[in-house]
């Protein structure tokens, strides 16, 4: 499975500029963004370049059988750009709500309606998100999802993934979700000196690992 963090989104750029001028908090909270300017943000020009930079590695993975994406636009765009030829060859792209970034309180982490997403990305299969037209994790927007909540979603995602028939898979998601997945869900086993899969993913970064069930339950890689 090749796990990808999306390329730079407009909220990432805004956060960088916000930090430079030492403003408190973040630019995309309900207090600082009551007009939802950062609602489900798209990739910046740099983010698109980061996604295009994945194309060389994607070409070395000619046997990808399915691409799983978070329904949030920045992750979907990253996969569609990075694996452009794979998608053009007819490999299915499936949006999975369980890959959603940490939810609540941050306007950048509230997704668009399914109607809007389907209109923008007609090549994506949203049947796994069909239970909710609007973002199912947003709630009242006042409470940030807990680490335990993200880990629970991650565990459900891995169980769902292991039930699928495909063996060579791409997953495009988010930094907070990936951090929870590799630190609280999967049992990581790797060679000394290799990139630690439990570390924070940079924007546009892809890491590939073998994922399988543990004999005593759960999942490992």
């Amino acid at each position: 499975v090749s796990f990808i963090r999306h390329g730079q989104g407009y909220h990432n750029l805004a956060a960088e500029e916000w930090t430079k001028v030492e403003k408190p908090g973040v630019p995309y909270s309900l207090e600082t963004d009551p007009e939802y300017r950062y609602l489900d943000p798209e990739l910046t020009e740099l983010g698109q370049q980061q996604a295009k930079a994945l194309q060389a590695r994607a070409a070395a993975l000619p046997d990808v059988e399915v691409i799983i994406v978070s329904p949030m636009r920045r992750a979907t765009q990253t996969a569609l750009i990075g694996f452009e030829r794979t998608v053009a060859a007819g490999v299915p792209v499936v949006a999975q709500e369980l890959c959603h970034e940490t939810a609540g309180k941050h306007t950048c982490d509230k997704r668009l309606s399914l109607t809007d997403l389907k209109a923008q990305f007609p090549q994506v299969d949203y049947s796994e998100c069909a239970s909710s037209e609007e973002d199912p994790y947003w709630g009242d927007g006042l409470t940030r999802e807990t680490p335990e909540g993200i880990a629970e979603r991650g565990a459900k995602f891995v169980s769902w993934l292991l039930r699928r028939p495909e063996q060579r898979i791409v997953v495009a998601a988010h930094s907070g979700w990936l951090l929870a997945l590799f630190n609280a869900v999967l049992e990581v086993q790797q060679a000394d000196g290799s990139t630690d899969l439990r570390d924070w993913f940079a924007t546009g970064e892809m890491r590939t690992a073998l994922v399988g069930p543990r004999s005593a339950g759960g999942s490992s890689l």
Side-chain angles (χ1 to χ4, degrees):
V1 181
S2 295
F3 294 93
I4 305 169
R5 180 189 175 187
H6 62 79
Q8 185 194 61
Y10 279 101
H11 66 303
N12 298 128
L13 177 60
E16 292 176 8
E17 295 174 345
W18 193 270
T19 301
K20 286 179 183 178
V21 296
E22 300 182 347
K23 289 185 178 182
V26 292
Y28 37 69
S29 69
L30 286 176
E31 293 77 20
T32 56
D33 186 24
E35 297 179 349
Y36 288 81
R37 292 172 298 162
Y38 295 107
L39 175 65
D40 201 355
E42 298 185 274
L43 296 178
T44 63
E45 183 176 347
L46 174 59
Q48 294 179 43
Q49 292 172 359
Q50 290 171 332
K52 288 178 181 177
L54 292 171
Q55 291 178 353
R57 293 185 64 188
L61 298 170
D63 50 0
V64 170
E65 298 169 84
V66 65
I67 299 171
I68 311 299
V69 298
S70 159
M72 308 191 84
R73 293 192 291 178
R74 55 194 184 269
T76 300
Q77 286 179 314
T78 300
L80 293 179
I81 295 171
F83 285 79
E84 182 178 38
R85 291 186 179 181
T86 306
V87 176
V91 171
V93 183
V94 178
Q96 172 52 269
E97 203 82 74
L98 293 170
C99 297
H100 192 295
E101 178 60 301
T102 310
K105 208 168 184 177
H106 293 174
T107 55
C108 59
D109 295 329
K110 183 178 189 294
R111 71 158 169 78
L112 292 181
S113 68
L114 280 187
T115 298
D116 289 342
L117 290 173
K118 289 176 180 178
Q120 185 170 356
F121 305 111
Q123 65 273 62
V124 177
D125 175 3
Y126 287 96
S127 59
E128 292 290 339
C129 305
S131 62
S132 181
E133 169 69 12
E134 300 298 333
D135 191 324
Y137 300 116
W138 182 249
D140 61 9
L142 300 176
T143 304
R144 191 74 169 152
E145 187 176 17
T146 65
E148 292 80 8
I150 307 167
E152 182 178 353
R153 282 200 286 112
K156 289 179 180 178
F157 172 79
V158 172
S159 294
W160 173 82
L161 193 70
L162 291 174
R163 291 195 301 270
R164 293 191 64 91
E166 300 91 355
Q167 297 296 305
R168 294 170 178 81
I169 300 168
V170 172
V171 177
H174 308 268
S175 57
W177 185 84
L178 289 164
L179 190 71
L181 187 74
F182 284 101
N183 285 274
V185 178
L186 296 170
E187 180 182 309
V188 177
Q189 301 174 4
Q190 58 189 52
D192 293 338
S194 59
T195 299
D196 194 332
L197 294 167
R198 293 163 293 197
D199 287 347
W200 190 263
F201 276 65
T203 50
E205 183 178 0
M206 181 170 75
R207 303 174 191 170
T208 300
L210 177 64
V211 179
R214 288 198 301 260
S215 58
S219 304
S220 64
L221 54 77

